[in-house]
Every structure is written in C-alpha cells, then in structure tokens.
Amino acid sequence: MSTSLAQQLSRIATQSTHSLNLKAQKAAHSQSLIFDAGVATKQGFDSLYTLCIEGFDELCLLDQRFVEFRKTIFSEESKNQDRTHMTAGENEELDRVLEDFLALAGARLLLKPVIKAVEWLVRRFRVHQYNTAWLLLTFLPYHDTPIFRTILAVLPSSIPHTFRFLRPYVASLSNPPRHTIVYTLVNNHGFAAAFSNYILRLCKARQHYQALLTFWAGLMAEAVSGTLDLARSGRKGVQMQNEQDVMIRLLPVLNEGLDLKKVPELRLGCYMILIVLATKANLDDTVLTSMMEAVVAGWTTETVPDALVCLAVLAEIRESVTLPRKVLKRMMVVENLAAHLENLSYQYRVGKLALSLTLGTIEQLDDSGNSGELKFVEKMLSSKIFTPAQTTSVLSSLLVMADSMGTNSVGETESTTNTRAQLADILTRLYNSEPFKVLTMEALKKSGIDIESLELQLQTTIRVETSSKEDVKEIKMPDADSIPYQPDPLETALSRLPTRTVEVSFLSDKPSHIFGDVAHAFIMTLTSPAAIKRFSTTPVLRPELANRDPLFYSFFIRIWCGPYPAAARSAALRVVEKSLSDHKNTLADFQALIPYLMVALADPAGMVRQAAAGVVLSCSNIYQKAGNGKEKLKRLQPWAAEDIYGNSEASYKIDWMPPELCRTIITGLLVPGLEECILDSARISNLIQLALMKPSQAQAKNMRAETPNLKSSHRGAVLSYLASHAIITPLLTVKLGLVKMLSQVKKAGKLKGTNALLPLLQTWVSQKSAELSQRCDTEHVNLRELNDVIVGTVTSRNIEGLAALQAVINGEAGGSHLGLFTATLGHLRKIWPSLKEDLKVPIGQSLLKLTLKSSSLKSGTSGEEAREFLRSVDLSPEILAAFVEQLPGTEQLQQRTTPAKRRRVSRDQMVKISPQESKGAAAAVNEITYVLELVDSSKPTFHPTLMKGLFNILGELQQIRSQSGSEQAYLQSLILGSLLGMVNDLKGDASVKIDFTIMRTDLIVDCIRSTCNPQVQNAALLLVASLAEIAPDLVLHSVMPIFTFISSTVLRQDDDYSVYVIDQTIHRVIPPLVKSLKKRNQDPVVGTAELLLSFTAAFKHVPAHRQLQLFTSLLHTLGEDEFLFALLSMLADKYPGNDNVEAFVVELSGQYSPLTQLKTFSKILDLAIDVLAPSRTLSQELLAVKDENGQNIADIAIRLLSLLGRVSSSDTLSSRLVKSSDWEAPASQIQAAFSTLFEKFLGFERSIKNHERVHATCVEAMDSLLGLLSTKHYIQCVERLLERSSDELHWIILRALKSRLGRTSQADRNLLETIVGFIPRLTHTLENSSNVLVKHAAIACLDTIIEKYGKKNTEGVLSAVHAVTGSHGINHNDRRVQIIALLCLSSVVETLGPDAISLIPGALTIALNHLETSVAESEKTAGLHNAVYSFLDAIFVHLPWIITANYLDRILRLSHKSAEAGLDESANENRLHFLRTIVRQAAAKDYFTTLKRTMADAITAGPLATKEHLESLRMAIEKHPKSIIIKHAQALADALLEAFDLRRLHALEKSSKFTTEAVIEMEKTMHGIAIKMILKMNDTTFRPIFSKLIEWAATSVSKKEQRGRVLRLTTTYTLLDEFFTTLKSIVTSYASYIVDNVVDILTKMPLIDEESKTLWAIVLRTLHRCFEHDQDGFWQSPSHFNAIRNALLPQLDRASSMPVIDEVVPTIAELATAVESGDHHKDINAAILKYMRSDDTHVRLAAIKCEEALTEKLGEEWLALLPEMLPFISELQEDDDENVESETHRWIVQMEGILGESLDSMLQ
C-alpha cells in the first residue's frame, strides 16, 4: 500500500509539465488529431502553423464570426506562445478565447478545415490538457463518429472526474454508445450540470446550433425520465425528497432556458423536459402553475404550437380546472388560438386546457364589452375539442353568467347591454342547433336555471320553434331600439287584429287562422300590467261573453298549456282569474276548466302553479256563491258544454260530471291541497290518485281530513270525465299530463283506469307519424315520453289493450307511428313477468315472426328491437316449444328451394341443391339459428314437446347438412347444449314421467360420428353420459361407436373442457355398461374389450400430462382388480418397443397396492400362457393374435413377458414389498400371491424350452420377479437356481445378482455371512461351467464381492481368485473372460494390497502378453488393452516396488507400440493415465534410466510414441526436485541427446515415420524439456553437459557426413536460440563454447542447399540473442570481438544470395550495441564502408541498410564516425542504381533528424 508521500509525489508527477524532460515534451508534442505520433514529433510549429492557418482561412469564409480569432489564437505571435510561461490571468483570458472558438466550431466539426484549425489548438495550446472538459463537451454530439475516437486518443491520462465514464473508452479507443451517456446523466449530477451549463452558455452567446440542442434535449429527456424512475425507490417520504432534489437541480436550468426567447430550439427542448417532469413526478398544482407561467412568459409565434402541447399536458395533470390569470392573459393574445387548439386536438389531449381557457374567458366577461371573448367561446364550442361533459360545463358557465347579468336597470352601461345581447344570441343559436340542444338542456338542469326566467332576463326567446300557421313565428321580447320608427309596437300589433271572428273555441282540433297573431300580441303585453289589461279587452276575443262563449277562456287555456314562457303562462292564468273574479255572481259551471287547471298545477314553473291556484280559488268562490244544495247547484249552467272543442261532435263525447261532484272536486280536493301543489308539481297527481282509488285501511287512517271520501260511482264519474278530456283534447301537453295522473289509477268505482283510457290508446295508434311529430315539435312535447305514457296504460290483464299492442307488433295499427313500436316493446318488457302464458305465446310468436321476417329482408329497426326483446325476457318452455314448432321442416325447406318441383325427402335419396336454390335453405338455417339461440339462452327445464322438437330439428339439420354441405356445427352445439340442460334437470326430479321414445340416441351418435367440430363432439358425449344415468338401456346399443369416436378425437385434445367430457363419459357411461354385462352373465373383460381397445388406440394421442389421470379414472370406474391386467397387456401389445408406453405402464401399475399388482402379474402370465395354448380364449379377444407360422404368437407372448419384467422391476413395488408397513394387505396374502406367481413361472418356463426367444424372455421376467426379494433371500434363491442345468438361466440370475450386490450395504453382517458362504458356490460355477457368458457373470459377481467385502474376509476371497488367475480367468481363450478377469484382478490388488503379492508374478506376465497381443496389427483389442492397463495401474499404485527394471522396459516398449497402434480414444486415455501413474510412483533412478534406454525405441516406434515418451520425461522433470535432477543429470542429458538426433535420423532414413512438421514440433517439445531441466541445475552440473552438447553437435559426426552434421548443428543452435532467449544475460558467458564453431559455420560452411542456409540463419539469430542480452561486456573482449567480427561482417558480401538485410544487418547492429567501444565501432564502420564500394549492387544496398540500422540503434554515438562516412555518402548519392541512391537519401534524412542540421554543406 502506497504512503501519503508516495501519493503526493504521484499527483505532482501527474500534473507536471515536464519542462526539463525532453522525452515527455516530445510525447506531448506528438499528440495530434491529423498526424501519426512519429510524424507529429518531427514537426515544427512553423510548418504546423502553415497547415492549420489554411484550414482557419477556409473556416472564415464559411462564417465571418471566426475572423476575430485571427488576432489572437491564430496570429503569427501565437507560434511563440507557451502556456507554461503565461500568467494565471493570461491563461484565463486564453481559456475564454479557446472556448469561444470551440463553441463556434462545434457546428462544423466534421469538416476538414475545422479539424485543421482545432489541430492548432491541440498542438500549440494543448486544449486537450488545459481545456479537457470544454473540448469533450464540444465533441460530445459526435460521440459516435471516428473523430471522437481521435479526441479520446489525445486526452491526458487524468481526465476530469466529471467525465470518468469515458475512461474505458479511452483505454479501448472506442465510441461511447448513447445509452452510456444517458446513464451518466442519470447517475452523475456533476456531468448533467456541466452539460446543461455548457448549452446555456452557448445559447446566451448565440453560438448554438440545432443539432446540439436536439442532442441535448433528447438526452436530457431520457435522463430526467430515468432519474425520476430511480427516485421512486424507498419509502414514500424518501421518494418525495428524491423528487424534490431532482426539481431543485432542473428547474433553474429550465427557467434560464425558457427566458431565452431568441433560441426557439432550446425552448422546445425545455418543453420536452417539462412534459417528462410533469408526467413522471408527483407535482402539486403550485409547481405545475409555475411551470405553465414559465411556458407562456416568453413564447413567440414560432414556439406557440409546441408550447400549447406542453400546456395541454400540464393542464391534464393539474387537479384544478381554473387557469392561472397570467397564463389566461398571455394565451388570449395569441392569434387564431381556437384554430391552434383544434389542430392540436387531433394528435394530443387538449380538452382540459381548452376547458380551463374557455371557462376562464367566460369568468372574465365584464363591462368591457369585448365581443372577441364571446366569439372565442363560440368557436371553442363549435370545434371538436370538448367531450360532451366538458361542453356541458362550458354551457353551464355561460348560462350562469347570463343569469347573473339580470335585466335592464338604470345606469347600466352600453357594454353590459351589448354583452347581454351577444350572450342571448349565442345561447339561442346553441339551443336551437341539433348537436347542442340536448347538452344545453342538461346544462340548464345542472345549473338549476329556469329557461323561462332566463328568457325574461335576456329579453329574448331562446327556444325558437318551427311553428304551424296559427302559432307564433317569433316569440321574443320586443326591443325598442331595433324598431326605431315604431314607438308603440303593442298598439301596432293590436291594430292588426280583426275585431271579430267566426271561430267558437281555440281548443278545436281544426287550425285557427288568427291564434298566432293574437298570441304574438299577448306576448308583447307581458312587460306591462296595463298592457295585459288593455289586451284582455280585445274585441276579437269577445271578453264580454266569456261566461257563455268558450273563445275568451280557450285562448288563455291554450297559452298556459302551450310552449310559451312561464311569464306568459302565469299571465294568462291571472287574466282568467281576473275575469272569473269580475263575474263571481254568474251562475255558470266551469268544470270544463278543471282538467286544464290540473295540468297547470303540475307545471314545472312555480309562478305558473301560483297563478293556477288563484284560478282554482276563483272557481271555488263561484261554487260557494251558488249554495250547497243539489237543487241550487242545478241552477249552474254548464260553461261551454256543447262547444268547448268547437262545433264538432267531440264536445258531446265528454262525460260531464254533475255540478255537486264538480263542487266537491274543486272545494274538497283541489282547494285544500293548493299550498302543497304550489310547492310540489307532483302533488296534484297524488291527490287525484288518493281521491279516485279506494284506499286501504292503512291509507284511510293516514289520509287527511280534507281529502274527500268519494262514493264509488263518483270516483268512476271523475275518472270517466278526466279520461274523456284526455282522449278528446287536441293539446298534447294536456293529454300527457292527464294520462300521467290517471295511469296510476287502477280502478275507480267499477271503472278500471285502463278501460277508461283504452279509447285513447286505440285512437293514438291510428295517428299518422308525420302529423304527430309536427305537433310534438310545435308544442315542445317529447313524443317518446308520450308514447311511453299512453302505451303504459295497458296492464297485464287488459285483454283489449294487449290486443291493441299486439296489433302494433303485427303492423296492423301504428305501423308508421314513430317510436310507438319501441314504446310497446318497452312496456311489454315491464309487464312480461305478470302476463299469463296463454297471452305470452301469441305475443312471442308475433315477435318471432317479425324477427324472422326482418332478418330475411335484412331491414327494419323493429325487427332488431323484437330480436332484442326476445333475448331479454324469460321464455318459458311452452313458448320455446311453440317457437320450435313454428320452424320450417324438411318438406317446407324443399318447397322453399324448388317450389315448382318437389324433391325427395328420403335421406338415402337426398338430392344436392344448386347455389341459387340454397338461398331458401340458408334462410331456413337462419331461422333455426335464432330460435335455437333463444332456447339455449333460456336454459329451459324439461318439456316433452320442446325436447321432441329439438330432436326433430337435430334430424332436420342432418338433412340440411346433406343438401348444403355445411356441418351446421353451431346449431348442433346449441341443440345438444339445450338437451343436456333438460336431461340434467330430469336427473334431479324423480317424479317426472319420461317418454323415452322421444330421446333419439341414434341422432346423437350420428352427430358424434359425422362432425369434425370438437365442441359438438364434446356436447354430444356429455349428453350421452347424462342419458346413460337415466336411461342406460337406451344408450347401451350405441356405446361402442361412441368410444371408438372418443379414441380418435376427444382424447387427443388438451383443454380442460375435453378432460371434463372424457371424465363424465367414463363415469356415467361405463358403469351401466358393466352392470348390464354382469346381468347377462357375460365376462366383463370380454364385453369391454372394444372399449379398452378404443382407449389404448388413442394412448399416443393423449397429452402426456393427462395420460395417468385418464387411465386411472378408467380403471377406477371399471375395477382395477379385474381390468388392470387387460389394459396393461393391450398397451404392451399395441405399442411394442415404445419407451414412453413402457414407462407409463410401470407408472400406472405403481398406482395400486402390491397385492393388486401381484394378482395382475398372475393374470398377465395366464394371458401369455393362453396366447401359446392351442385353443385361445381371452387372448383372442384382447390381443391382435394372428396365427402365421407361430411368429405373431411368439411375439405377443414375448411382449407380455417383457411387460411382466418391466413392471416387476419397478423400484416403487420393491420398496413397498420390503417395507411391511406399506402393505395394504396382510403379509400372508402377499406371500401366497408371490408363491403362486413364481410356481406358474417355473411351470411355464419348463413348458417353453423349445421356444428359445420366449424362454429367454421368461427367464428375464423371472429374474425381475426375483428382484422383488431381499438380497439375502435372493442369494438363497440363486443358489438353488444354480443347481439347475440351464446356462441361460445361470447367466441371467448371476447378472442380476451382480447388480443387486452393487446396491447392498457393507454394514449388514447377516448379509455378509450369506455372501461369504455363497463364494464357494460361485467358484464352483466358474470352474465347471463351459458357457462363456456364465463364466463372465460369475467373475463379475466375484469382482463386486471383492470390492465390497474383500477386506473383511481375505482368505475366502483369495481362494476364489486363484481360479481367476488360471485357465478359467485371465488365461482363458475368450477375450471377454480375459477382460473381466483382469478387471477382477485390478480390484483384488486395490482391495487386498500386499496380501495379493502371490498372485502378481504369474498374472503380470500373462497380462503383458495380452497387452502385446492387443496392440498387434492382426488382433487389436481395445477392451483387453484397457483392462491390462487397469491392472498395471493398480499394481503401480499399490505395489510399485514389485516392478523390476525388465518389467518397466517392456511396459514402456509396449506402450510405444500401443501409441502407434491406432486404437480408440479410451485406449489412449488409459495408457496416458498409466504413464502419469508411473511418473508419480516409479523410483527416479530406475525411471530415468529406463527412459534413456527406451528413447531410441520410442523414436523407432513413431511420432506419437516419441511425443508420449518426451511427455513422460517432462512430467518426471517437473515432479522431482532439483536435488534429484542434479543427481541424475547425466542420464537425463543422454536421453535428450538421443532425442536431439531426431532431425538427422529423419533425414537419413528414407522410410521415416516422421514428417518435417512433426520433427519441428518434437524439437520444440525437446527444447522446452531441456530448458526445464537446465533451470533445475546449477552451473557446476550444467557446464560439462553444455560442453558435451556442443562437442556432440560439432564433432561427433564424421566430416564426410556433412549433411548429418548440418542437421545436428541445426537442432543444437535452435536449442541455443531458445537457451539465450530464455536465460538472457545469465548464460552469456556460455557463448565462449560456441565462438569457434560459429566462426567455422560462417566462414567455412558452403551454403549449397536449404539445410545449410537454415543453419546459417539460425546461427545468426542465436548470435543476435546472445549480443542482445550481453550485460557483462563479454563481446567487448578483443578476443571474442575480433573472432566474431571477422566472421560476421564478411557475410555482407553474400547479399545477392542470402537474406543479409533481414539476418546479418540486425545482428551487426546488435553487436555494435553490445561492444560499446569507439575502437570497435570504428572497426565495424571501416569494414562496412568497404562494402559500399562493392561492384555488387545488393552488397552496397546491404551496407547502407546496415549503416541505417546502426544509426538508428546508436544515434549520435554512431554519428561520431560521420567524417569517415562522408566521402562514401557522396559517392553513393550518385550511384548508378536508383535503389542505392534512394536508400542513401533516406539515410541522410535519418542522420539530419538526429543531428538537427542539414548535411548538404558537408556533402558538397
């Protein structure tokens, strides 16, 4: 660990400018963006300035802002500026200039002129060191370009901490990806702040560019999102704090960015970040408001659209709808703001922003009279921005504003008046436009504003209607200013009225010609009571005859019951009250006013109800004046009794009440309840109902005393009276009001309410649609409500009313009446539950007929409504049965398809129909589909007619399928589903008597077999399963085809529904089948054979995870004791050799108790016996037995026996048998079952000896069965079985015993005694059996016994092993016995160790003979080979000292043969493992000697043997310590010398097994081994060996054998090259042994072939390594130098024939470096200069190259000899050869670079 002082020194070194370190300065100067380091180092600032100023000039042409930098950083003086000599202030000023230039250049960094200019900043001002952060920020937008890698290459070693994320990319010089930068912005707040401040500074200085701002905005948006995601971790408080920290860091940057109005791109980026902040962070409204104010503070026309998007997002997140005043003010000055918002609404959610803006605009409406604000509101409403709810909110705000303005008042400004007028105009247009009418009404309701009051306040009529001729055209308050030339419009209107009219009553059903003008005049009088009084005397109304003539009162009745403002209605009532008060002494019966006064008392406007109360009191006064007696009341003359409804018969149809009853109704009912009626508009209805209906006792007690208790006849008279007015009155408002009141009256006296109103219904349904619609629009009555009320008068018991409704449904009445059909169905839906079934059926049939008719015509809303009605109501089975009977049958279908020619309807003779004819069939199918859907959705209970009908339709569908070719799967599934529901319903009700003849199981089975649709199949199967429970005999004859179908379809499905279907079918269908078979005394197994075959055939298609559950369920239903064996046998026979089936059979059997399994085994064995019997019974039914020469029969028997073997060998069964606690039956039962089974096996085994294959399988099955026994009992059983004479049986049981013994525990002493006692019997079998397999199995058993129990009974084991070492074991003539015997002996050696010494000598010799045999060319046996090596390995591990040198030599030589024998990989691995064992276990002396003796044998054997031999040598050297290596160094050296001669031997032997590449590879291995050996020796030990090596290489080969000598020297010098390279200066002195030999080789050896040239090159490389690592001045010695110089330098003369430049020149340069002596350098130089005047061009060129190398290597030290070189250089400059002349020039440039001056003057 470094100290603090070391750390301080390190920091000082890092920050040092290296002013005195020339190398460091050169390195700094070499850092360039354009040039390589070598070129950049040699450049001066003058030449560099010339290059860079060119780029700067081009840059000035592109942008004039760069010109100012010509005076500073690009001036001539800048060449001499050095930052290290400048003051701190000067450096700060320089930094500012450099940063400004880089900021401007950032937009053009990919241009070459910019790179040239930046090159000057890097080279002269070192911006990469002093301005690292600014430089990186400038180039950061180009992070994925090559120029960024160049910037990374010139960065200093210590970059700012902020940019530490770039360090890995600086090291690898790779581009940082975008996600890395984003990650850094998220996690490095310093970097994020630096980046943002950099952007803001550039924008403030107007040095930004679009790509930079886009880059920043994108990165920051991602970074902010990531930062906020990180902030969400931890507790809620921590999350809030983290988000606040993010806001504190970001908001100042965003505020600065938004303040820069002239940088729109920056503002857009800020908008992006604000959106991310708002959507990701949990911000309150205060922060969001500040954001919105910042957005609008400095926006421009260019940024408005994007700013609006940002505002829209912020507004959506804000909880408050109110827009901040500053934001509202700034937004309202934007031109075409509404258009902007509408355009944005197609892409963004701007609804809330638009709503806030509109509401704010409405709120600030004041006396300014700014019409533009209201126009903006209207534009916003007409746009498609708002949702209906938002539109309603705006309309509510407008209505509230209009309501708050009030009426004209004194002092009101003109602007307020104008605003009110504009509001009135807007509201009128909105209310009367189709899209806004409903919304305006909702807004009125929401705001609680009365529209009539609003109309009065605004002095206008908002509800402008399209009136009839007699209706008012424009109901609007007169405006004096609008008619400047008519100062008294009322007088004008009155003057236009006629003075008389022939009309009797304005309540006539005939149109009036004057009512519209009179009503218009009346409306104009509302502003003044005097005007109303003036109007009431109008002659045309004949006011003086009001008590006798209905004209006067009927006019005002029509006003208060018409679509007029509340003020007009109340005024009309007051006029009537005044008139009645003025005529209070009159004797008139005004009962004709009662219905209309009741409607007025139910008016929604309180002022109208107040005025109506006054009229009621006036009428009461009249009746009070007449007296109380009946006779007195008779004096009252009925008012308008004959002409209330004009001169027509309608007036005579009124059921008038007697005067005393009228008096009671007015004074006893209406007058007492007036106060309540004024407060509650619904109270009048309650009063009528209380008066007319007979109260219950509870109601009678609670009734007020003032409520009259009318007689029954009087109640009926009142009801009849009011109902007659409701029927006859032409005013729809009155008709609606009266029917509402009377509809709740079930009965009044003897008169039912529905009967009283029935004529109204009958009349109403006959009305024309157009006329009714016009009247409803004129009177402001909702036609839908009116239809609902009138139709609602019909009750469930009103037969005539229901008949009228059915007539509407049938189209017999009201067919063109708009909405009447809908109202009829709506009312029927309400009363449907209370309708009787006999009434429901015809109605349902009518609706069904209409539905089917509209479906066929593909038209009609009524048909759709009827369809929906039938789907929504509960349909009883009777109705459904009627529907089903109504469907077309086959004959009708034939008539639809071929009306002119009847077709055959027989299924066998069915004729295909053409596409044209199929239209009728398609229509029939559509009808059937709809009805069946109704049946299915109704989930009907059992109904015989319905069930029969469904079965009939199922049959018809089969015929339709035959005609059209369509399966009609959907229809079939509907029918089957309905039938299934009914059948399931029957199962729970035993009292229902069932006619089973209607249940057509043949049709169900036909569906199953003919359809391909899984849903239909499953539904049909479930139906059959359910039928099997209630009618098993009905299903039995069809069950087999069903299961055949299941096996091929449903069992292959993997969905839960299919599994449910299968389960239900098994549990419901099979039990009755089995029960029936037992009743008939039939074998259940035989009877269900076909069923079992179906399931076994489908096994492979059943999903694997469902197989066990399926078959377990099947067996549980059938009974496992009886059917398990059959199912297992059929599976084994059906899928022989299938691994999945075999595993499943074992798993399925393991689900049951051991006793059940043993019984099953016995039955399987019985089945196998039956298969081989002459006359087969059960097997013929269950299995596919075919007697073809007995082959098929034998195969089946083998499969059954194999099945027994697999199942009985199950681990689950054996473990359950061993643990008695797991037995589910007493032990005696299991033992008896086992004994019975084994006895059957023995008897069966004896009877099938002639069937070899069957017998073998039987024996295996017996073995598996025996495996169920414990090991002790099994051994006892094996002893008995070995006494039998069957070799095959012996082999099987011994093999099984070996496996069993391998799993036994050594701790069981009782078992040990049994095994030891069994060894003699096993030995006896080995010695006496002639069967090879038996011997093999016996030795394998013995091997297992020895491994587990050998140490516990050595004597017993050795007695048996002697048999293994003899002729019955390793000396046997069968390879298999030999192999197992050798493996057994290996176990003996490993287990017994020294106790086995007596066995080794004889066995070892035999084993080596076997090894020699196994590698022989004729008999290569890898198994025997591996067994021998296992035996040898065991000996070397446990008894290594027993192996003598002779054995070891033979083993290695046999190993060489094994290596070259071409055996398999396992043989090679065994041999190599053994060789590694020898290295570990053998004594060093013996092993090294053996390696030396057998080295030649290894080389003779071949390359693989040699490689393994050398590898053994290497391992031995690595294993042993230095002391052992030194002790046996000579033996190792001799072994290596044998190997070193490989190259020579390979070249001299024509039939060598080595290739040249193999020789080279071997030599590399030898060299590595030699180096390892040398490193473990000392100098005293190694020098004699080294001397011997050189002598061996140089002199031990005869001179006549020149080639052999060259090859041996090549090997030696290759080793020496590695030797000097590895050990370096430590062994330089060893070169004294090779100097003479090197000189001889270089001077005397003729280079006549490739081998001599190779030696020449390797000798030079060896010298180069020796020179390179000479640190002790060895070669500076004159004796050494002179000898080698005289041999080395003349090699230049061989330049024309040898690679002198590549080999000799580097060696000479290295020699000159090693000697470090001026005299020696002079000698070398003089010798080289001589060769510069050689006649050979190649020699001259080599000499120049040599001088270049020396100049580069020694530098100025070598150039001290320049004076001697100059004459030669001058000559070479004018050489005839261009290459020589060119190379001379390069040499001169090289020297000038070192000297720093030109040589031209010296060479002249």
Side-chain angles (χ1 to χ4, degrees), residues 89-124:
E90 291 172 340
N91 270 312
E92 289 180 3
E93 180 64 22
L94 179 61
D95 288 341
R96 186 186 62 78
V97 176
L98 292 173
E99 290 173 358
D100 288 343
F101 177 82
L102 287 172
L104 274 178
R108 301 176 177 85
L109 286 178
L110 297 180
L111 301 179
K112 290 185 178 179
V114 179
I115 297 302
K116 290 182 180 179
V118 177
E119 171 76 1
W120 179 248
L121 272 61
V122 172
R123 302 289 294 281
R124 176 67 276 180

Side-chain angles (χ1 to χ4, degrees), residues 224 228 232 239-240 242-248 250-251 254 273-292 313-314 317-320:
V224 170
L228 292 173
R232 291 176 180 172
Q239 294 180 21
M240 294 177 62
N242 292 337
E243 289 184 355
Q244 289 178 6
D245 294 342
V246 175
M247 300 295 295
I248 290 172
L250 284 177
L251 288 182
L254 297 176
I273 299 171
L274 282 174
I275 290 173
V276 175
L277 271 175
T279 53
K280 286 269 187 175
N282 297 319
L283 305 179
D284 56 21
D285 279 8
T286 305
V287 178
L288 293 170
T289 299
S290 301
M291 289 181 175
M292 297 179 77
V313 175
L314 297 176
I317 298 172
R318 285 179 80 237
E319 293 183 3
S320 175

Side-chain angles (χ1 to χ4, degrees), residues 856 888-889 892-899 913-928 960 963-964:
S856 62
Q892 294 171 312
L893 175 63
Q894 296 299 321
Q895 293 173 1
R896 292 190 186 187
T897 55
T898 56
I913 63 176
S914 64
Q916 292 79 9
E917 296 172 340
S918 66
K919 293 181 180 179
V925 170
N926 290 337
E927 296 175 11
I928 295 172
I960 293 176
Q963 291 180 354
S964 63

